[in-house]
Amino acid sequence: MKLLADIGGTNARFALQSGEGFDDIEVLACANHATLGQAMRAYLDKAAGRGLAVERVRHAALAIANPVEDDRVSMTNHHWSFSIEELRRQQGLDTLLVVNDFAALAMSLPHLAAEGRQRIGGGIELQDGRNARPIGLIGPGTGLGVSGVIPAGKRWIALAGEGGHVSFAPSTKEEVAILEALWGEYGHVSAERLLSGMGLELIHWVLSGQRIDAPAITKAAIDGTSADCARTVGIFCAVLGSVAGNVALTLGATGGMYIGGGIVPRLGKLFTESAFRARFEDKGRLGPYLARIPTYLITEQYPALRGVSAMLSDHIATLQ
């Protein structure tokens, strides 16, 4: 029995796994728990109440929205901070693997079923078992995750980085105006500053002078009740296309570019009919190169849990 988790700035998704599938999954709000250890314990207590054999858990893996570089992890978009080794001892675990959440999500990409993704625009499918290609990943949510997987023989290697914090580069006069406004507020303006829940709020504020939260913006845009909100979402999708194109060029992601995160799947036609794909390909002389790369929206509900499970299995195998 393995304990798995995908921890973002807003929600923590926990699961127990004893075979190929998941025995139990529950989503907990991070804000409802003072520490990660308390959230883990709360989930295990609830799972025990549902009849799961939580006493059999000896190995755990956590995918977390943060760089993981040493024993101390302090979340960028939430207040949780912990020592990996101390948390392992507190939870009575033999193994506790902690990895970047988008590295875990990237690890799931080569194994996504056709029904777990939605194709956006054109491109040519180049991936096959004999001729694997690098795959890119980007995902706006509480923050902006960026990752990818690189083939290495029969294995895949996930990339753990912080590409969401690269400097934002505008492509239109409207985006230049947004950048200038945010410079005045923040100094450095990252891609994440626009491509996140907070980013939706900031784009809308620059366009309208009004501050409303991201769920209200997306709801009004989807309902068609606010032109400013619709324009906000349109700019968001266009910027996402440009940044996704940058990632695809950087990684040489000819195996495909995937969009994850919590925001885009909620947008429906506002995304699929947006300028995303046009901006993805709009890279001057490299336009034809990008036009060949397929882009996909991840629709599987818990893909990062599958990825972190694979990483835990690999980690345990290296210890034996």
Side-chain angles (χ1 to χ4, degrees), residues 29-219:
C30 295
N32 291 345
H33 304 275
T35 67
L36 173 56
Q38 289 182 17
M40 292 172 69
R41 198 72 255 160
Y43 167 70
L44 289 171
D45 288 346
K46 290 182 179 182
R50 292 190 285 269
L52 277 296
V54 300
E55 69 279 358
R56 291 172 46 209
V57 174
R58 290 293 177 268
H59 305 289
L62 313 178
I64 192 163
N66 214 71
V68 181
E69 297 176 343
D70 50 36
D71 179 69
R72 171 61 56 176
V73 178
S74 297
M75 292 184 68
T76 304
N77 291 314
H78 191 61
H79 68 265
W80 285 348
S81 178
F82 60 95
S83 156
I84 298 173
E85 177 59 20
E86 183 179 333
L87 184 61
R88 183 193 67 79
R89 291 198 304 266
Q90 287 175 352
Q91 300 295 322
L93 297 167
D94 295 337
T95 307
L96 176 59
L97 177 67
V98 181
V99 301
N100 174 264
D101 63 333
F102 264 70
L105 181 55
M107 188 61 84
S108 75
L109 299 181
H111 314 293
L112 274 185
E115 59 270 21
R117 65 186 192 181
Q118 178 186 356
R119 192 179 184 113
I120 308 295
I124 302 169
E125 181 61 71
L126 296 176
Q127 204 73 262
D128 61 59
R130 299 172 308 235
N131 189 27
R133 310 292 183 95
I135 303 172
L137 172 66
I138 189 168
T142 304
L144 177 65
V146 175
S147 186
V149 281
I150 308 297
K154 296 181 179 180
R155 298 179 57 241
W156 289 90
I157 297 174
L159 303 176
E162 289 298 315
H165 294 276
V166 299
S167 299
F168 167 63
S171 297
T172 67
K173 290 182 178 179
E174 192 169 44
E175 290 169 16
V176 169
I178 293 170
L179 176 59
E180 289 178 340
L182 298 184
W183 269 336
E185 289 282 308
Y186 299 102
H188 176 253
V189 178
S190 66
E192 179 177 274
R193 192 67 75 182
L194 280 78
L195 296 178
S196 58
M198 176 187 63
L200 280 167
E201 295 167 8
L202 289 173
I203 294 170
H204 183 269
W205 166 68
V206 175
L207 295 179
S208 69
Q210 296 179 321
R211 294 188 181 269
I212 61 175
D213 64 26
I217 293 168
T218 54
K219 182 178 186 303

Side-chain angles (χ1 to χ4, degrees), residues 267-283:
L267 299 179
K269 288 185 177 181
L270 288 179
F271 178 68
T272 58
E273 297 177 359
S274 74
F276 167 81
R277 180 70 196 191
R279 287 281 291 271
F280 176 80
E281 298 180 12
D282 186 16
K283 298 294 184 188

Side-chain angles (χ1 to χ4, degrees), residues 211-244:
R211 294 188 181 269
I212 61 175
D213 64 26
I217 293 168
T218 54
K219 182 178 186 303
I222 292 167
D223 294 345
T225 55
S226 168
D228 285 334
C229 290
R231 189 171 158 215
T232 295
V233 171
I235 292 171
F236 176 92
C237 294
V239 172
L240 179 60
S242 289
V243 178

